[in-house]
Amino acid sequence: MPTAVAKDNAFANTQQKAESPLTLNGVLTQGALVRGQVPVGANVTLNEKPVLVNAAGKFVIGFEREAPLNHKLSVTLSSGEVFVREITLKKRDYDIQRIDGLEQKMVTPPAEVTARIKQDNINVAKARSGNSNLDALFTRFEWPAKGPITGVYGSQRILNGVPKWPHYGVDVGAPTGTPVFAPVDGVVTLADDLYYSGNTLILDHGMRVFSTFLHLDTITVNVGDAVNQGDQIGTIGSTGRSTGPHLDWRINLGKVRLDPQTVVSGTPDEG
Ligand SMILES: [Zn+2]
């Protein structure tokens, strides 16, 4: 019996490989950005919701920090044939740190900056609201700076018993002035000094995928500039509410915050 099953599976896999109209490129975990390819003209849905597919049959999906583990990706070819792929994500354990006995002013921002923070959030949301047809997101991402990883996606601090907003970036620790490069091609949609994140830069990589770079010392590009992978876009700093010089790099799919380490391989100190 086991032999027969194995044989059947092997046969089924071979058949599926030859016929599957779907390729996925990415790690299937919570927080992941996953790129996919289907035949031109095919429609894709994720959990019955339509997924944007470009003219080359490429698409992108993302799974947020606490995404459910089971998903259904469905591909309908122009012939009407339907293929379904069940996706089971790997569950992640995030680092949770409790700090008690902090002075209250360190925990809640002062009242006089509330309006500014609100406006910052509006500007950031606008800078990530586009849906451009750039296809830079389908190229291989490179680390935007060199240095050790000092913070990871998903970690969370609980200050005086109050859970704070989780950390959604990957931090690269390096001295002020260290160059920051575009991880792939992009167009600048925000270059501004914000209350929390200091000098902040947002790049549009297409199809609602955006990079955000926080706490920069300098920004050397302007809104509307098209940058190429590897172009210098600024320098590492400690502007805004930051405890020391580092680059905080974030990846969004629209409003959904994803883990940059699911689009880039290796470590930033490998060079
Ligand atoms: Zn950070």
Side-chain angles (χ1 to χ4, degrees):
M1 191 61 190
T3 315
V5 168
K7 199 176 168 189
D8 282 353
N9 280 344
F11 181 70
N13 284 338
T14 314
Q15 286 295 93
Q16 205 179 5
K17 266 206 180 96
E19 290 178 14
S20 176
L22 171 69
T23 311
L24 289 180
N25 169 18
V27 284
L28 298 175
T29 67
Q30 291 176 319
L33 181 139
V34 178
R35 292 162 276 194
Q37 172 83 57
V38 289
V40 170
N43 283 316
V44 177
T45 62
L46 178 63
N47 304 323
E48 320 295 339
K49 287 190 201 118
V51 172
L52 183 76
V53 181
N54 76 7
K58 291 178 177 175
F59 67 93
V60 58
I61 53 177
F63 301 101
E64 61 188 8
R65 182 176 180 268
E66 295 290 353
L69 301 182
N70 294 309
H71 301 267
K72 194 174 105 181
L73 195 60
S74 179
V75 180
T76 306
L77 301 183
S78 44
S79 66
E81 249 185 301
V82 179
F83 292 81
V84 174
R85 166 97 182 257
E86 306 281 347
I87 293 176
T88 304
L89 300 180
K90 188 168 170 277
K91 185 166 173 48
R92 290 179 61 174
D93 289 315
Y94 301 107
D95 183 32
I96 309 291
Q97 198 188 0
R98 287 170 189 278
I99 305 172
D100 293 315
L102 286 172
E103 267 190 87
Q104 200 53 35
K105 68 171 185 185
M106 298 299 288
V107 180
T108 354
E112 61 269 24
V113 298
T114 311
R116 181 180 171 195
I117 292 168
K118 212 174 153 190
Q119 188 57 53
D120 286 354
N121 290 341
I122 291 168
N123 295 347
V124 166
K126 197 174 155 227
R128 292 188 189 130
S129 64
N131 187 355
S132 74
N133 57 12
L134 298 171
D135 64 358
L137 72 140
F138 296 110
T139 49
R140 215 184 86 128
F141 281 65
E142 306 280 357
W143 281 93
K146 282 183 191 174
I149 293 174
T150 54
V152 295
Y153 172 93
S155 59
Q156 187 177 29
R157 298 206 296 179
I158 300 174
L159 305 183
N160 293 355
V162 180
K164 302 310 284 183
W165 199 243
H167 186 254
Y168 282 108
V170 60
D171 291 337
V172 177
T176 294
T178 302
V180 177
F181 306 102
V184 287
D185 296 357
V187 171
V188 180
T189 61
L190 181 132
D192 200 2
D193 177 21
L194 309 182
Y195 177 77
Y196 279 115
S197 53
N199 289 326
T200 305
L201 177 63
I202 300 182
L203 291 183
D204 177 3
H205 302 307
M207 296 183 84
R208 300 168 60 238
V209 176
F210 297 88
S211 275
T212 306
F213 307 91
L214 284 60
H215 310 302
L216 298 170
D217 189 53
T218 59
I219 296 176
T220 51
V221 289
N222 298 301
V223 171
D225 286 356
V227 299
N228 293 320
Q229 182 177 49
D231 284 353
Q232 188 171 342
I233 52 180
T235 53
I236 286 180
S238 189
T239 55
R241 304 313 106 173
S242 165
T243 51
H246 72 285
L247 176 68
D248 184 331
W249 173 34
R250 301 182 174 205
I251 289 281
N252 274 68
L253 176 59
K255 287 179 184 170
V256 181
R257 298 155 188 279
L258 302 171
D259 185 354
Q261 289 196 265
T262 66
V263 301
V264 69
S265 54
T267 55
D269 48 8
E270 275 170 4

